[in-house]
Amino acid sequence: MFRNIVMCYTNTELECQELERHSKQMETKIIRMDIGQMDKEALVAAGRVIREGGLVAFPTETVYGLGGDALNPESSRKIYAAKGRPSDNPLIVHIADMDMLEAIVEEIPESVYRLAEAFWPGPLTMILKKSDKVPLQTTGGLDTVAVRMPSHVVAQAFIREAGGYVAAPSANLSGKPSPTTAKYVVQDMDGRIDMIIDADGVEIGLESTIVDMTGEVPMILRPGFITIDMLSKVIGPVEMDVALLEVDSKSQPKAPGMKYRHYAPKGELVIVEGEPEQVLAFINEACREHGMQGHKTGIIGTQECRMLYEADSVKCAGSREDTDAIARQLYTFLREFDDEGVEYMYSEAFDIGEKGQAIMNRLLKAAGHKIIKL
Ligand code: TXA
Ligand code: MG
């Protein structure tokens, strides 16, 4: 029951009823896949599930995806139902070969070829004008489509077996952190989808960078591993959706999904920004107070402070300079706090380097924008 309450807060009543019907209805087959030695037969079977209109969760280099046939409106409808996601939030279409792009978009600007050459396969999603081949159910009613070519070898082989076009949001229940290991896909999706391909943990840990290529100047709608500088070096000026830059922005983000509450753990998360010693003292004191009231506490910090933090659960992402390690582990930490029943969480701010932007974007959302500046 609790599960459904969690999922429904962003949905209409009708969509929630749909969810009820779909929850825990089927047997979910879990298949193990060794990256070094892929099981061809299992991949063919997974591809067949997609071709026949079913759903398969699969690994990508960013996070696990929840895949369905992107060209089948019924598959997209099933994805929304399984995730408990509002159906105005468009899906990303995953392809494995450049030849597949032409059929699903109206036109391909020169700059798209250049970005593809530089970053595909990889953690970059491009928004383009869609062709009639892509149903509106997949694009949440928009006349544009988001396309990504993942670099994960299992994802590529699976997409090819599935017919070439796999629509896939992250494989979490709507509102929860994106899954970075199959364990969390099972936690959210067992009984709701046909199959889960388990290929251990992912490499990056945060969702792809989304760049809208339909306007005069390309615009980043979601920051990620591919940064604005990396894009600009290839195609010249790139803008950032202003709604992403300001913490208290009143403007609506341009990617429909970015407006929803996201990545949220069950307990309360607060980000604390300031000089490291001050942050450490503040967080320890806050945890001590919650502890005295009998609450379970958690901290996300860096290696530098590991030994000095005092809470029921202390998670350290590695060194402060190692933004890749922080990105890779952030969602796992949030999920672990849930598993451990942590009620009050504090995190250091990670606004460091260019990759820090993507980390802070997710962390702020997980914290419901609660940030204390010391
Ligand atoms: O790394 C990723 O991108 C992962 C893996 C599975 O590939 N996928 C992922 O999908 O994060 P999802 O559905 O969780 O996030 C897709 C985001 C949403 O915020 C959605 O609103 C936005 O992309 N989006 C999709 N199509 C769009 C479009 N045509 N215009 C604007 N935003 C779009
Ligand atoms: Mg998502």
Side-chain angles (χ1 to χ4, degrees):
M1 195 55 218
F2 179 61
R3 211 176 205 202
N4 284 323
I5 294 169
V6 171
M7 290 183 304
C8 282
Y9 65 83
T10 52
N11 292 72
T12 65
E13 198 166 323
L14 228 148
E15 281 167 328
C16 287
Q17 284 166 10
E18 177 89 339
L19 268 175
E20 285 282 354
R21 274 206 303 280
H22 276 263
S23 57
K24 288 273 174 194
Q25 265 202 346
M26 53 174 86
E27 200 59 46
T28 301
K29 197 167 177 201
I30 300 171
I31 53 175
R32 271 287 312 162
M33 191 69 62
D34 186 346
I35 292 178
Q37 206 179 355
M38 286 197 287
D39 179 346
K40 170 83 178 160
E41 222 171 279
L43 282 167
V44 170
R48 194 178 311 121
V49 172
I50 298 290
R51 288 169 194 265
E52 289 172 357
L55 304 184
V56 177
F58 64 101
T60 83
E61 70 280 19
T62 57
V63 298
Y64 271 76
L66 169 54
D69 180 353
L71 307 185
N72 179 349
E74 178 59 16
S75 299
S76 296
R77 201 190 57 73
K78 282 190 194 168
I79 291 177
Y80 290 114
K83 252 186 93 82
R85 174 172 184 155
S87 52
D88 66 345
N89 189 357
L91 308 172
I92 295 175
V93 177
H94 295 69
I95 58 174
D97 299 285
M98 202 58 196
D99 298 348
M100 306 302 276
L101 183 62
E102 253 164 55
I104 54 167
V105 300
E106 275 291 296
E107 55 192 314
I108 310 179
E110 170 61 23
S111 50
V112 169
Y113 284 110
R114 274 190 275 145
L115 287 182
E117 174 76 28
F119 303 113
W120 275 2
L124 178 70
T125 295
M126 291 192 259
I127 311 271
L128 296 161
K129 282 252 173 283
K130 82 170 192 72
S131 75
D132 292 341
K133 221 175 144 139
V134 186
L136 288 167
Q137 282 83 351
T138 300
T139 64
L142 299 176
D143 61 2
T144 54
V145 61
V147 191
R148 175 162 114 77
M149 188 192 289
S151 63
H152 198 294
V153 288
V154 174
Q156 291 180 352
F158 163 66
I159 292 165
R160 289 187 186 117
E161 292 299 339
Y165 300 104
V166 175
S170 47
N172 51 286
L173 287 173
S174 193
K176 296 240 260 162
S178 301
T180 50
T181 69
K183 175 182 151 189
Y184 292 123
V185 180
V186 175
Q187 208 173 69
D188 282 14
M189 291 298 153
D190 189 27
R192 300 177 154 270
I193 62 176
D194 301 278
M195 193 182 272
I196 296 171
I197 305 176
D198 172 0
D200 299 323
V202 300
E203 207 183 305
I204 294 175
L206 295 182
E207 305 83 351
S208 61
T209 305
I210 301 180
V211 58
D212 184 351
M213 301 301 289
T214 63
E216 282 279 299
V217 180
M219 183 186 283
I220 293 185
L221 308 189
R222 179 172 72 183
F225 186 85
I226 309 284
T227 63
I228 192 163
D229 274 6
M230 290 160 80
L231 295 171
S232 310
K233 278 200 184 104
V234 180
I235 52 166
V238 174
E239 289 175 346
M240 182 76 83
D241 182 356
V242 286
L244 301 175
L245 297 175
E246 307 146 28
V247 171
D248 313 309
S249 178
K250 299 278 177 292
S251 28
Q252 278 282 348
K254 295 204 166 44
M258 299 298 278
K259 70 174 184 263
Y260 295 108
R261 184 164 174 255
H262 251 100
Y263 322 121
K266 287 185 194 137
E268 188 183 277
L269 172 66
V270 175
I271 304 164
V272 186
E273 194 180 85
E275 288 304 314
E277 309 84 64
Q278 280 178 302
V279 170
L280 178 83
F282 182 94
I283 290 180
N284 275 347
E285 177 57 19
C287 287
R288 201 181 60 82
E289 277 173 25
H290 290 303
M292 271 168 35
Q293 285 161 19
H295 295 298
K296 211 164 175 192
T297 54
I299 297 173
I300 301 177
T302 40
Q303 195 61 36
E304 286 80 349
C305 303
R306 182 181 204 112
M307 305 309 290
L308 304 169
Y309 277 126
E310 287 162 22
D312 295 307
S313 177
V314 178
K315 317 266 181 209
C316 284
S319 163
R320 240 192 127 56
E321 264 65 63
D322 192 356
T323 37
D324 287 352
I326 299 166
R328 188 161 53 242
Q329 293 169 90
L330 179 64
Y331 289 152
T332 307
F333 290 164
L334 296 175
R335 292 254 180 185
E336 283 173 359
F337 282 144
D338 278 359
D339 295 345
E340 294 159 6
V342 173
E343 297 161 277
Y344 289 95
M345 287 149 281
Y346 291 87
S347 176
E348 292 178 22
F350 297 105
D351 224 343
I352 28 172
E354 259 213 273
K355 301 265 170 67
Q357 206 160 40
I359 299 170
M360 282 309 284
N361 171 264
R362 308 312 196 277
L363 198 56
L364 278 163
K365 280 175 161 254
H369 287 274
K370 286 190 286 294
I371 181 162
I372 295 172
K373 298 189 180 186
L374 299 176

PDB file of all heavy atoms in Angstrom, residues 63 83 85 89 169-179 207 222 257 262-263 331, ligand 2:
ATOM      1  N   VAL A  63      22.658   4.873 -15.995  1.00  0.00           N
ATOM      2  CA  VAL A  63      21.824   4.197 -14.994  1.00  0.00           C
ATOM      3  C   VAL A  63      21.070   3.082 -15.719  1.00  0.00           C
ATOM      4  O   VAL A  63      21.085   3.037 -16.952  1.00  0.00           O
ATOM      5  CB  VAL A  63      20.797   5.182 -14.347  1.00  0.00           C
ATOM      6  CG1 VAL A  63      21.495   6.314 -13.620  1.00  0.00           C
ATOM      7  CG2 VAL A  63      19.817   5.752 -15.383  1.00  0.00           C
ATOM      8  N   LYS A  83       6.197   2.441 -14.152  1.00  0.00           N
ATOM      9  CA  LYS A  83       6.994   3.408 -13.382  1.00  0.00           C
ATOM     10  C   LYS A  83       6.147   4.267 -12.458  1.00  0.00           C
ATOM     11  O   LYS A  83       6.650   4.868 -11.514  1.00  0.00           O
ATOM     12  CB  LYS A  83       7.677   4.373 -14.370  1.00  0.00           C
ATOM     13  CG  LYS A  83       9.154   4.168 -14.513  1.00  0.00           C
ATOM     14  CD  LYS A  83       9.740   5.240 -15.390  1.00  0.00           C
ATOM     15  CE  LYS A  83      10.268   6.445 -14.645  1.00  0.00           C
ATOM     16  NZ  LYS A  83      11.580   6.337 -14.086  1.00  0.00           N
ATOM     17  N   ARG A  85       4.636   6.877 -13.748  1.00  0.00           N
ATOM     18  CA  ARG A  85       5.115   8.170 -14.228  1.00  0.00           C
ATOM     19  C   ARG A  85       4.011   8.912 -14.973  1.00  0.00           C
ATOM     20  O   ARG A  85       3.282   8.319 -15.750  1.00  0.00           O
ATOM     21  CB  ARG A  85       6.280   7.900 -15.186  1.00  0.00           C
ATOM     22  CG  ARG A  85       6.824   9.106 -15.888  1.00  0.00           C
ATOM     23  CD  ARG A  85       8.070   8.679 -16.627  1.00  0.00           C
ATOM     24  NE  ARG A  85       8.722   9.785 -17.274  1.00  0.00           N
ATOM     25  CZ  ARG A  85      10.026   9.795 -17.565  1.00  0.00           C
ATOM     26  NH1 ARG A  85      10.773   8.770 -17.268  1.00  0.00           N
ATOM     27  NH2 ARG A  85      10.565  10.819 -18.150  1.00  0.00           N
ATOM     28  N   ASN A  89       5.446  13.117 -19.504  1.00  0.00           N
ATOM     29  CA  ASN A  89       6.898  13.187 -19.339  1.00  0.00           C
ATOM     30  C   ASN A  89       7.562  12.273 -20.367  1.00  0.00           C
ATOM     31  O   ASN A  89       7.551  11.054 -20.215  1.00  0.00           O
ATOM     32  CB  ASN A  89       7.244  12.759 -17.908  1.00  0.00           C
ATOM     33  CG  ASN A  89       8.698  13.008 -17.576  1.00  0.00           C
ATOM     34  OD1 ASN A  89       9.459  13.459 -18.437  1.00  0.00           O
ATOM     35  ND2 ASN A  89       9.085  12.700 -16.359  1.00  0.00           N
ATOM     36  N   PRO A 169      13.024   5.161 -19.916  1.00  0.00           N
ATOM     37  CA  PRO A 169      13.332   6.067 -18.815  1.00  0.00           C
ATOM     38  C   PRO A 169      14.228   5.311 -17.846  1.00  0.00           C
ATOM     39  O   PRO A 169      14.492   4.121 -18.040  1.00  0.00           O
ATOM     40  CB  PRO A 169      11.963   6.316 -18.191  1.00  0.00           C
ATOM     41  CG  PRO A 169      11.204   5.054 -18.442  1.00  0.00           C
ATOM     42  CD  PRO A 169      11.747   4.460 -19.727  1.00  0.00           C
ATOM     43  N   SER A 170      14.701   5.965 -16.820  1.00  0.00           N
ATOM     44  CA  SER A 170      15.445   5.254 -15.790  1.00  0.00           C
ATOM     45  C   SER A 170      14.504   4.235 -15.129  1.00  0.00           C
ATOM     46  O   SER A 170      13.303   4.482 -15.009  1.00  0.00           O
ATOM     47  CB  SER A 170      15.982   6.244 -14.763  1.00  0.00           C
ATOM     48  OG  SER A 170      14.960   7.146 -14.373  1.00  0.00           O
ATOM     49  N   ALA A 171      15.068   3.087 -14.695  1.00  0.00           N
ATOM     50  CA  ALA A 171      14.232   1.954 -14.271  1.00  0.00           C
ATOM     51  C   ALA A 171      13.821   2.007 -12.796  1.00  0.00           C
ATOM     52  O   ALA A 171      13.787   0.992 -12.115  1.00  0.00           O
ATOM     53  CB  ALA A 171      14.954   0.648 -14.589  1.00  0.00           C
ATOM     54  N   ASN A 172      13.520   3.203 -12.310  1.00  0.00           N
ATOM     55  CA  ASN A 172      13.058   3.373 -10.928  1.00  0.00           C
ATOM     56  C   ASN A 172      11.572   3.704 -10.931  1.00  0.00           C
ATOM     57  O   ASN A 172      11.035   4.141 -11.946  1.00  0.00           O
ATOM     58  CB  ASN A 172      13.808   4.535 -10.279  1.00  0.00           C
ATOM     59  CG  ASN A 172      13.750   5.778 -11.150  1.00  0.00           C
ATOM     60  OD1 ASN A 172      14.422   5.851 -12.181  1.00  0.00           O
ATOM     61  ND2 ASN A 172      12.925   6.730 -10.764  1.00  0.00           N
ATOM     62  N   LEU A 173      10.921   3.512  -9.789  1.00  0.00           N
ATOM     63  CA  LEU A 173       9.564   4.029  -9.642  1.00  0.00           C
ATOM     64  C   LEU A 173       9.675   5.551  -9.665  1.00  0.00           C
ATOM     65  O   LEU A 173      10.663   6.116  -9.191  1.00  0.00           O
ATOM     66  CB  LEU A 173       8.970   3.577  -8.302  1.00  0.00           C
ATOM     67  CG  LEU A 173       8.575   2.106  -8.222  1.00  0.00           C
ATOM     68  CD1 LEU A 173       8.174   1.759  -6.791  1.00  0.00           C
ATOM     69  CD2 LEU A 173       7.437   1.790  -9.184  1.00  0.00           C
ATOM     70  N   SER A 174       8.678   6.198 -10.223  1.00  0.00           N
ATOM     71  CA  SER A 174       8.709   7.655 -10.365  1.00  0.00           C
ATOM     72  C   SER A 174       8.984   8.322  -9.013  1.00  0.00           C
ATOM     73  O   SER A 174       8.397   7.951  -8.002  1.00  0.00           O
ATOM     74  CB  SER A 174       7.347   8.106 -10.901  1.00  0.00           C
ATOM     75  OG  SER A 174       7.413   9.424 -11.320  1.00  0.00           O
ATOM     76  N   GLY A 175       9.919   9.254  -9.010  1.00  0.00           N
ATOM     77  CA  GLY A 175      10.240   9.988  -7.777  1.00  0.00           C
ATOM     78  C   GLY A 175      11.427   9.430  -7.017  1.00  0.00           C
ATOM     79  O   GLY A 175      12.043  10.120  -6.220  1.00  0.00           O
ATOM     80  N   LYS A 176      11.772   8.161  -7.242  1.00  0.00           N
ATOM     81  CA  LYS A 176      12.886   7.535  -6.512  1.00  0.00           C
ATOM     82  C   LYS A 176      14.219   7.725  -7.252  1.00  0.00           C
ATOM     83  O   LYS A 176      14.235   8.011  -8.440  1.00  0.00           O
ATOM     84  CB  LYS A 176      12.613   6.037  -6.345  1.00  0.00           C
ATOM     85  CG  LYS A 176      11.392   5.752  -5.483  1.00  0.00           C
ATOM     86  CD  LYS A 176      11.748   4.935  -4.271  1.00  0.00           C
ATOM     87  CE  LYS A 176      11.412   3.479  -4.444  1.00  0.00           C
ATOM     88  NZ  LYS A 176      12.118   2.635  -3.480  1.00  0.00           N
ATOM     89  N   PRO A 177      15.341   7.534  -6.537  1.00  0.00           N
ATOM     90  CA  PRO A 177      16.623   7.673  -7.233  1.00  0.00           C
ATOM     91  C   PRO A 177      16.757   6.645  -8.362  1.00  0.00           C
ATOM     92  O   PRO A 177      16.305   5.512  -8.225  1.00  0.00           O
ATOM     93  CB  PRO A 177      17.653   7.374  -6.132  1.00  0.00           C
ATOM     94  CG  PRO A 177      16.930   7.590  -4.843  1.00  0.00           C
ATOM     95  CD  PRO A 177      15.504   7.229  -5.103  1.00  0.00           C
ATOM     96  N   SER A 178      17.400   7.036  -9.455  1.00  0.00           N
ATOM     97  CA  SER A 178      17.617   6.106 -10.577  1.00  0.00           C
ATOM     98  C   SER A 178      18.487   4.945 -10.113  1.00  0.00           C
ATOM     99  O   SER A 178      19.422   5.137  -9.348  1.00  0.00           O
ATOM    100  CB  SER A 178      18.328   6.816 -11.726  1.00  0.00           C
ATOM    101  OG  SER A 178      17.568   7.911 -12.167  1.00  0.00           O
ATOM    102  N   PRO A 179      18.191   3.716 -10.582  1.00  0.00           N
ATOM    103  CA  PRO A 179      18.967   2.551 -10.131  1.00  0.00           C
ATOM    104  C   PRO A 179      20.335   2.442 -10.812  1.00  0.00           C
ATOM    105  O   PRO A 179      20.423   2.524 -12.033  1.00  0.00           O
ATOM    106  CB  PRO A 179      18.090   1.366 -10.496  1.00  0.00           C
ATOM    107  CG  PRO A 179      17.082   1.860 -11.449  1.00  0.00           C
ATOM    108  CD  PRO A 179      17.070   3.358 -11.456  1.00  0.00           C
ATOM    109  N   GLU A 207      22.247  10.279 -14.772  1.00  0.00           N
ATOM    110  CA  GLU A 207      21.650  10.199 -16.102  1.00  0.00           C
ATOM    111  C   GLU A 207      22.388  11.079 -17.106  1.00  0.00           C
ATOM    112  O   GLU A 207      23.057  12.045 -16.739  1.00  0.00           O
ATOM    113  CB  GLU A 207      20.178  10.622 -16.061  1.00  0.00           C
ATOM    114  CG  GLU A 207      19.313   9.873 -15.075  1.00  0.00           C
ATOM    115  CD  GLU A 207      19.419  10.436 -13.673  1.00  0.00           C
ATOM    116  OE1 GLU A 207      20.288  11.295 -13.440  1.00  0.00           O
ATOM    117  OE2 GLU A 207      18.639  10.011 -12.819  1.00  0.00           O
ATOM    118  N   ARG A 222      19.420  19.123 -19.129  1.00  0.00           N
ATOM    119  CA  ARG A 222      19.772  18.355 -17.915  1.00  0.00           C
ATOM    120  C   ARG A 222      21.288  18.181 -17.922  1.00  0.00           C
ATOM    121  O   ARG A 222      21.840  17.612 -18.852  1.00  0.00           O
ATOM    122  CB  ARG A 222      19.081  16.984 -17.929  1.00  0.00           C
ATOM    123  CG  ARG A 222      19.429  16.125 -16.711  1.00  0.00           C
ATOM    124  CD  ARG A 222      18.599  14.849 -16.640  1.00  0.00           C
ATOM    125  NE  ARG A 222      18.980  13.867 -17.639  1.00  0.00           N
ATOM    126  CZ  ARG A 222      18.372  12.699 -17.824  1.00  0.00           C
ATOM    127  NH1 ARG A 222      17.328  12.374 -17.079  1.00  0.00           N
ATOM    128  NH2 ARG A 222      18.784  11.865 -18.743  1.00  0.00           N
ATOM    129  N   GLY A 257      10.441  16.363 -17.504  1.00  0.00           N
ATOM    130  CA  GLY A 257      10.762  15.537 -16.339  1.00  0.00           C
ATOM    131  C   GLY A 257      11.484  16.286 -15.238  1.00  0.00           C
ATOM    132  O   GLY A 257      11.468  15.874 -14.077  1.00  0.00           O
ATOM    133  N   HIS A 262      12.174  14.446  -7.466  1.00  0.00           N
ATOM    134  CA  HIS A 262      12.998  13.380  -8.018  1.00  0.00           C
ATOM    135  C   HIS A 262      13.971  12.826  -7.018  1.00  0.00           C
ATOM    136  O   HIS A 262      14.356  13.509  -6.097  1.00  0.00           O
ATOM    137  CB  HIS A 262      13.873  13.989  -9.124  1.00  0.00           C
ATOM    138  CG  HIS A 262      13.483  13.565 -10.483  1.00  0.00           C
ATOM    139  ND1 HIS A 262      12.748  14.347 -11.291  1.00  0.00           N
ATOM    140  CD2 HIS A 262      13.740  12.436 -11.178  1.00  0.00           C
ATOM    141  CE1 HIS A 262      12.559  13.745 -12.448  1.00  0.00           C
ATOM    142  NE2 HIS A 262      13.152  12.576 -12.407  1.00  0.00           N
ATOM    143  N   TYR A 263      14.461  11.653  -7.309  1.00  0.00           N
ATOM    144  CA  TYR A 263      15.650  11.124  -6.649  1.00  0.00           C
ATOM    145  C   TYR A 263      15.540  11.154  -5.121  1.00  0.00           C
ATOM    146  O   TYR A 263      16.547  11.148  -4.425  1.00  0.00           O
ATOM    147  CB  TYR A 263      16.907  11.920  -7.053  1.00  0.00           C
ATOM    148  CG  TYR A 263      16.963  12.361  -8.489  1.00  0.00           C
ATOM    149  CD1 TYR A 263      17.057  13.698  -8.836  1.00  0.00           C
ATOM    150  CD2 TYR A 263      16.909  11.416  -9.512  1.00  0.00           C
ATOM    151  CE1 TYR A 263      17.105  14.097 -10.172  1.00  0.00           C
ATOM    152  CE2 TYR A 263      16.948  11.805 -10.839  1.00  0.00           C
ATOM    153  CZ  TYR A 263      17.050  13.149 -11.167  1.00  0.00           C
ATOM    154  OH  TYR A 263      17.086  13.542 -12.467  1.00  0.00           O
ATOM    155  N   TYR A 331      23.406   7.994  -5.993  1.00  0.00           N
ATOM    156  CA  TYR A 331      22.094   7.340  -5.923  1.00  0.00           C
ATOM    157  C   TYR A 331      22.128   6.101  -5.029  1.00  0.00           C
ATOM    158  O   TYR A 331      21.142   5.791  -4.363  1.00  0.00           O
ATOM    159  CB  TYR A 331      21.614   6.949  -7.317  1.00  0.00           C
ATOM    160  CG  TYR A 331      21.206   8.120  -8.178  1.00  0.00           C
ATOM    161  CD1 TYR A 331      21.302   8.061  -9.551  1.00  0.00           C
ATOM    162  CD2 TYR A 331      20.700   9.283  -7.622  1.00  0.00           C
ATOM    163  CE1 TYR A 331      20.916   9.122 -10.362  1.00  0.00           C
ATOM    164  CE2 TYR A 331      20.318  10.360  -8.409  1.00  0.00           C
ATOM    165  CZ  TYR A 331      20.432  10.268  -9.786  1.00  0.00           C
ATOM    166  OH  TYR A 331      20.049  11.307 -10.574  1.00  0.00           O
TER     167      TYR A 331
HETATM  168 MG    MG B   2      14.458   9.229 -14.488  1.00  0.00          MG
END
